Amino acid sequence: QVQLVESGGGLVQAGGSLRLSCAASGSILRINVMGWYRQAPGKQRELVAVLISGGTTNYADSVKGRFTISRDNAKNTVYLQMNSLKPEDTAVYYCNADITDRLKYYTNDYWGQGTQVTVSS
């Protein structure tokens, strides 16, 4: 009954910025770890950024200093602010979250459907 929906993807020129959003809805008791992954054509899915308990964040080396992950607890939404975008950032970006269900008291890993980010030269 829990669902993740991403938004904010699009086409942007190198050096530009985008902000991705991931909204969680459903029978949510609490949201634990949230993160962003990406998958380029012909490549494996890779971790981009993660936000864990206590507010600790971790980033892939390729995006450090350019991307920022944050969370709005009141809206059950996680964001990925992407600045100084490069063509190498082109990929489908997926939201991932560890969530405890309010009705079943069951904790599981959930994925969004993904949003396309294309960066041109």
Side-chain angles (χ1 to χ4, degrees):
Q1 293 179 310
V2 174
Q3 184 181 34
L4 301 180
V5 179
E6 302 104 329
S7 63
L11 196 157
V12 65
Q13 291 186 342
S17 299
L18 285 173
R19 190 180 77 159
L20 305 183
S21 299
C22 174
S25 61
S27 53
I28 299 171
L29 178 62
R30 55 179 168 268
I31 300 176
N32 305 305
V33 179
M34 301 190 76
W36 288 92
Y37 291 74
R38 68 185 181 187
Q39 187 168 21
K43 297 183 179 180
Q44 297 185 32
R45 184 165 52 192
E46 64 176 348
L47 177 67
V48 177
V50 61
L51 178 61
I52 60 179
S53 61
T56 302
T57 58
N58 291 103
Y59 300 91
D61 289 340
S62 60
V63 306
K64 285 182 178 178
R66 300 188 298 119
F67 291 11
T68 302
I69 187 171
S70 61
R71 175 178 169 180
D72 187 332
N73 292 330
K75 297 180 179 180
N76 287 331
T77 300
V78 64
Y79 305 95
L80 184 67
Q81 179 66 46
M82 305 185 294
N83 299 324
S84 302
L85 283 164
K86 304 175 181 179
E88 305 91 90
D89 296 318
T90 296
V92 177
Y93 285 71
Y94 297 91
C95 178
N96 173 255
D98 182 71
I99 298 174
T100 300
D101 192 292
R102 175 174 56 83
L103 299 178
K104 296 184 177 181
Y105 291 93
Y106 176 78
T107 301
N108 197 16
D109 226 28
Y110 296 90
W111 290 90
Q113 291 184 318
T115 184
Q116 176 70 47
V117 172
T118 303
V119 184
S120 64
S121 300

